[in-house]
Amino acid sequence: MPNLTDLLEPEYPIAIHPDLPGVIAFFMAIGPALADKILAGYKKDYRPYIKSNGDALTRAMANDQWVFDGAPLRVLKDGSFADGQHRMTAVKKSGKTHIFLVVMGLDVEAYDSMDTGAIRDYAASLRRRGFTKNAPLMALFIQCIHRWENGLSMLSDGKVIHPELDEVFDKHKEEILRCVDLTVGGSKKIKMSPALVAFCWWMFRRIDIEKASVFMTEVAYGEMLRRGMSTYHLRIKLDEIKEETAKTKGNPYNRHHYLRLFFQAFNAFDANLPLTNL
């Protein structure tokens, strides 16, 4: 395993502090070849590589979406690589060169305090941009659209970077805001995750805005419904799921199950066909 103290040569101004002897910070351009050498200095018994995180960073760098955020690559006093494994792997796989802040000479004990703070999720990013109302719902809803448009499972736990979600939000901004308003107005009436309710609003409005409004309103409020109407039987099914969940204290239905029910019901509604079984 190489000693990174010898491998990494400081570029541009070096920052030092008399109260932190041996600790230095500097900027450095790192490309695929150097990243490969740095990765050789990462101890395997440290934090394991998380493929979904690495894939997201690789996509960001390959698509020029990666943004320097000041987070350093960190090297301990013993010369081992302590923080930045996913970023260096992404540099290696993407073939791109980026500028990084490097901090070297940290105490070995410093490793135990890394990445223990609160994660800034996409809802926090939306709040920073001024969308403080319903930010958690918006974040989950935008992730649903991203999965749909990229052919991914709604059950996927793969990491999606903020720039990818920003693209979705910027592309569908007005409709996303409209669907969130519609969802908040009647989400408590529909026995399903608000993010999925918003996604259904978005999907059905893309087909027919007027029919989407009638369908979702009927599902939410259940007025003037009768047997044979898809919304009538969808409401019954949602009630059955709620009762089953209460009895078993666990919901056997995942996002795919719910969306299948809603899509099946809306397709029958759209075609003006009777539907008695879901």
Side-chain angles (χ1 to χ4, degrees):
M1 183 181 72
N3 188 317
L4 299 188
T5 304
D6 300 327
L7 182 63
L8 299 177
E9 298 181 1
E11 295 180 2
Y12 295 94
I14 299 175
I16 59 175
H17 194 283
D19 293 339
L20 297 172
V23 178
I24 62 172
F26 55 90
F27 293 100
M28 188 173 188
I30 298 177
L34 181 55
D36 189 37
K37 294 179 181 179
I38 293 172
L39 286 168
Y42 194 79
K43 292 183 178 179
K44 298 300 183 183
D45 58 343
Y46 280 178
R47 182 186 181 194
Y49 181 77
I50 302 173
K51 187 176 183 301
S52 60
N53 290 5
D55 289 346
L57 284 171
T58 299
R59 291 196 307 271
M61 291 187 181
N63 297 325
D64 295 322
Q65 293 178 319
W66 187 78
V67 177
F68 174 76
D69 60 4
L73 303 177
R74 291 183 272 197
V75 180
L76 304 180
K77 280 183 177 179
D78 63 3
S80 61
F81 185 39
D83 184 32
Q85 175 191 194
H86 293 81
R87 282 170 286 166
M88 290 299 93
T89 302
V91 167
K92 179 180 175 181
K93 289 184 175 180
S94 69
K96 299 293 183 73
T97 297
H98 291 281
I99 305 298
F100 291 92
L101 173 63
V102 181
V103 178
M104 300 182 65
L106 296 170
D107 289 335
V108 175
E109 292 77 13
Y111 180 82
D112 296 329
S113 67
M114 296 178 187
D115 301 321
T116 57
I119 298 175
R120 290 180 176 83
D121 58 13
Y122 192 60
S125 178
L126 289 171
R127 291 190 188 96
R128 178 188 60 78
R129 297 168 61 178
F131 300 99
T132 56
K133 189 177 180 181
N134 304 311
L137 166 59
M138 285 178 61
L140 292 173
F141 173 28
I142 292 168
Q143 290 177 42
C144 287
I145 297 177
H146 175 271
R147 292 189 179 105
W148 178 265
E149 292 193 328
N150 287 275
L152 302 174
S153 167
M154 287 294 172
L155 306 179
S156 172
D157 58 359
K159 182 178 177 62
V160 182
I161 58 172
H162 289 191
E164 291 176 314
L165 297 177
D166 284 340
E167 281 192 1
V168 173
F169 183 52
D170 293 340
K171 179 181 177 182
H172 303 291
K173 181 178 177 180
E174 296 304 320
E175 191 63 12
I176 286 173
L177 294 175
R178 177 58 178 155
C179 290
V180 167
D181 286 341
L182 291 167
T183 298
V184 172
S187 63
K188 293 182 179 179
K189 302 289 185 180
I190 298 179
K191 301 175 179 65
M192 185 170 68
S193 159
L196 288 186
V197 173
F199 180 71
C200 287
W201 269 111
W202 180 77
M203 286 291 296
F204 302 155
R205 282 172 60 86
R206 288 161 65 89
I207 298 170
D208 189 303
I209 292 179
E210 184 176 346
K211 286 185 176 180
S213 179
V214 174
F215 177 85
M216 294 298 285
T217 300
E218 287 184 359
V219 176
Y221 297 97
E223 298 178 354
M224 305 298 291
L225 301 185
R226 62 184 183 278
R227 185 174 298 277
M229 296 174 65
S230 62
T231 47
Y232 172 87
H233 293 283
L234 178 57
R235 283 177 58 86
I236 289 178
K237 186 64 177 179
L238 293 176
D239 285 337
E240 290 176 352
I241 295 173
K242 183 179 179 180
E243 292 177 3
E244 183 180 354
T245 300
K247 290 179 181 178
T248 62
K249 296 183 179 180
N251 191 344
Y253 284 74
N254 59 38
R255 294 189 189 104
H256 285 178
H257 292 129
Y258 278 107
L259 291 179
R260 179 185 176 116
L261 293 173
F262 268 76
F263 290 177
Q264 184 182 1
F266 183 79
N267 286 340
F269 176 88
D270 185 36
N272 197 27
L273 295 174
L275 182 67
T276 59
N277 184 39
L278 282 169

